[in-house]
Amino acid sequence: MRSEREVTLAIERYADTVRRICMIHLKNYADTEDIFQTVFLKYVLSSVSFSSAEHEKAWFIRVTINACKDLIKSFFRSHTVSIDEVIEQPAELPPDNREVLEAVLSLPAKYRDVIYLHYYEDYPAPQISKILGKNVNTVYTLLTRAKKMLKDKLGGEEFE
Amino acid sequence: MNKRLKEAFDNIHAEEDLKNKTRVFLAQKTRRTYAYKRFIPAVVCLLFVLIGFGGYHVYFTPTSFISIDINPSFELGVNRFDRIVSIQGYNKDGDRLADSLNVRFLNYTQALKQILENDDVEAYLSRDELLSIAVISSDETRNEQMLSHIEACTSEHENTHCSSADSKEVEGAHESGLSCGKYKAYLELKALDPDITVEDIQGMTMREIWDLIDSLSPNASSKVRDGAHTEDNHDKKEDRHNGRHSNGHD
């Protein structure tokens, strides 16, 4: 079992990451609270020793995605969610950010993770395949399709 | 577009309230877990202590007694594993003899052999004193078993008298401050002479008591042999014992 200090540090370091993943998966704020409790409790009780901060971060991402998927599986949910439902104060978001996030949330669930991991966390496809437990080629395919869908939604700008 | 995505996600932060709620939740969970884990060694220790005390209690509680009287009177406490766990003198000589013996934790037959080979005991017996051994156990089968082992032990010694008693007799004996063997002889004597008191008996040797019983008994010669009259429950055993008793006594 991890010490209180380790847990406090982990919350400071990874709360935002967990929050972003929750946002792209979950439909409401209450579920986000559940996922936070599940993920950090798992961390407290886990005896995994991390070789690096990167390893630790990848562990949090994987555990959060899995926890979100488990939660989603247990309820009937629509494929798209509104940003207003997943963020406590959506009005504070700049309009451009809001548009981008709405576009991401409008994607089918399987594309959201790859978009987040690739464009925000800068993970290359092989690492995304490890985190998500998917074939690398599948990740490439998902990325290509997701890019195209986002391009259609957000305008003609090409992704790098 | 990449930049737009980054900026958008950068503006997403875990709300302070969310972090605090998580901290509170984890604190509750871990405190409960820590508390539970903290209890484990305590429970294990308690268990060991209980087992220890239980074992100690089982081992060190005498379930039977062997009362040995010549003039020195003392009692051996025997646990359920046939080991001597206590030795208590009932008069000064008894205390002295009890102190000089090293029979604790020995099997009672070994202890008895050692007692019979003790110089003081041998000296008493050589002066034609009478050795009375009484077995007291609340379990009749065990009483029988112990008595037969003790009889086997003492078979080579003259002037020994083995008998058994029940726990009521033990209570009476201990209330009077007498060992059980002496108390049984006292009861016999009191039946013949109601004026006799515990104080009178205390200083007397078993030989003196039995001689007195013999002299007071209207049927002196058979009286000693028929010493079973105070032991209604043990007629059969007494017949056996009396044979040995009279053997040394006549």
Side-chain angles (χ1 to χ4, degrees):
Chain A
M1 184 138 88
R2 293 178 202 276
S3 70
E4 210 177 315
R5 194 177 156 274
E6 282 179 292
V7 176
T8 309
L9 265 177
I11 291 176
E12 283 312 312
R13 275 185 197 152
Y14 304 113
D16 288 349
T17 306
V18 174
R19 183 69 189 88
R20 286 168 194 136
I21 297 169
C22 286
M23 185 201 71
I24 59 175
H25 280 281
L26 304 177
K27 200 180 170 185
N28 60 58
Y29 186 74
D31 287 348
T32 303
E33 282 183 11
D34 285 351
I35 294 297
F36 260 69
Q37 292 178 356
T38 307
V39 169
F40 285 100
L41 184 63
K42 210 169 221 173
Y43 174 75
V44 171
L45 302 176
S46 156
S47 54
V48 180
S49 68
F50 300 106
S51 53
S52 63
E54 277 308 302
H55 180 204
E56 193 172 49
K57 186 176 183 178
W59 183 90
F60 269 98
I61 290 172
R62 197 176 58 246
V63 168
T64 309
I65 290 172
N66 289 339
C68 288
K69 281 181 178 169
D70 287 346
L71 191 76
I72 291 161
K73 263 189 242 163
S74 57
F75 296 100
F76 174 76
R77 279 153 201 278
S78 63
H79 287 289
T80 57
V81 289
S82 158
I83 194 81
D84 297 340
E85 291 170 81
V86 289
I87 294 180
E88 253 203 332
Q89 285 152 330
E92 287 177 12
L93 276 176
D96 184 47
N97 290 171
R98 193 185 163 92
E99 188 194 358
V100 172
L101 292 175
E102 290 278 14
V104 173
L105 293 183
S106 70
L107 297 176
K110 60 183 175 181
Y111 298 112
R112 292 179 217 155
D113 285 329
V114 288
I115 287 291
Y116 171 74
L117 294 174
H118 184 70
Y119 289 105
Y120 185 74
E121 299 290 353
D122 295 325
Y123 282 121
Q127 208 165 340
I128 295 173
S129 80
K130 276 186 190 166
I131 291 173
L132 299 179
K134 289 183 195 292
N135 187 293
V136 186
N137 289 330
T138 310
V139 174
Y140 280 123
T141 309
L142 289 172
L143 269 174
T144 311
R145 284 185 194 159
K147 275 183 209 172
K148 189 177 178 302
M149 281 187 265
L150 279 181
K151 199 176 98 180
D152 292 346
K153 285 180 196 289
L154 296 170
E157 259 182 275
E158 192 55 65
F159 284 90
E160 289 161 24
Chain B
M1 175 54 72
N2 284 8
K3 202 177 156 208
R4 283 181 73 194
L5 261 170
K6 279 219 184 240
E7 271 178 16
F9 277 113
D10 265 338
N11 272 324
I12 303 297
H13 297 288
E15 294 80 354
E16 276 311 309
D17 180 51
L18 184 62
K19 287 195 227 174
N20 287 336
K21 277 184 182 168
T22 308
R23 283 191 200 103
V24 170
F25 168 80
L26 294 176
Q28 282 171 348
K29 280 276 176 189
T30 51
R31 207 171 301 139
R32 211 172 297 154
T33 314
Y34 277 130
Y36 166 72
K37 286 203 170 172
R38 221 177 18 240
F39 271 117
I40 292 175
V43 168
V44 170
C45 286
L46 187 70
L47 213 63
F48 273 117
V49 168
L50 285 177
I51 291 169
F53 271 115
Y56 181 91
H57 183 75
V58 165
Y59 191 86
F60 285 95
T61 304
T63 52
S64 314
F65 292 90
I66 299 173
S67 170
I68 297 173
D69 300 274
I70 316 172
N71 176 32
S73 286
F74 60 97
E75 265 181 21
L76 305 173
V78 183
N79 69 7
R80 67 195 66 221
F81 309 108
D82 292 340
R83 300 278 159 176
I84 307 294
V85 288
S86 67
I87 174 162
Q88 190 185 351
Y90 276 91
N91 55 20
K92 276 186 186 171
D93 289 342
D95 284 336
R96 210 169 9 225
L97 190 59
D99 288 343
S100 70
L101 290 168
N102 189 17
V103 293
R104 257 171 90 91
F105 309 122
L106 285 183
N107 182 288
Y108 68 88
T109 52
Q110 287 174 308
L112 212 56
K113 273 182 193 160
Q114 199 176 312
I115 291 166
L116 291 169
E117 285 163 10
N118 180 278
D119 291 343
D120 290 339
V121 175
E122 278 190 338
Y124 277 113
L125 293 179
S126 66
R127 292 202 295 270
D128 201 31
E129 292 292 356
L130 184 69
L131 171 65
S132 164
I133 301 173
V135 182
I136 310 111
S137 176
S138 48
D139 178 358
E140 208 171 313
T141 319
R142 185 165 156 78
N143 225 343
E144 277 276 1
Q145 212 172 32
M146 285 180 71
L147 191 62
S148 74
H149 284 139
I150 289 169
E151 281 175 337
C153 267
T154 57
S155 58
E156 290 169 10
H157 292 78
E158 289 195 343
N159 295 339
T160 55
H161 171 223
C162 301
S163 63
S164 62
D166 56 39
S167 44
K168 271 184 194 167
E169 282 174 308
V170 179
E171 277 172 33
H174 291 177
E175 274 170 24
S176 325
L178 292 175
S179 67
C180 195
K182 211 165 209 179
Y183 182 71
K184 277 159 67 81
Y186 163 72
L187 291 179
E188 282 201 41
L189 189 55
K190 199 164 176 65
L192 297 167
D193 178 5
D195 295 334
I196 203 89
T197 63
V198 172
E199 288 74 30
D200 297 333
I201 286 283
Q202 253 161 355
M204 293 167 77
T205 66
M206 289 305 284
R207 163 65 71 199
E208 287 167 346
I209 298 168
W210 280 107
D211 283 348
L212 199 57
I213 291 170
D214 269 350
S215 66
L216 291 172
S217 172
N219 189 7
S221 60
S222 66
K223 187 68 209 167
V224 174
R225 268 190 296 276
D226 191 27
H229 67 280
T230 57
E231 299 177 55
D232 302 334
N233 298 331
H234 305 290
D235 291 345
K236 215 172 105 188
K237 279 175 270 173
E238 279 306 310
D239 289 344
R240 207 163 60 215
H241 313 150
N242 291 334
R244 188 165 307 131
H245 174 212
S246 57
N247 187 21
H249 201 57
D250 293 338

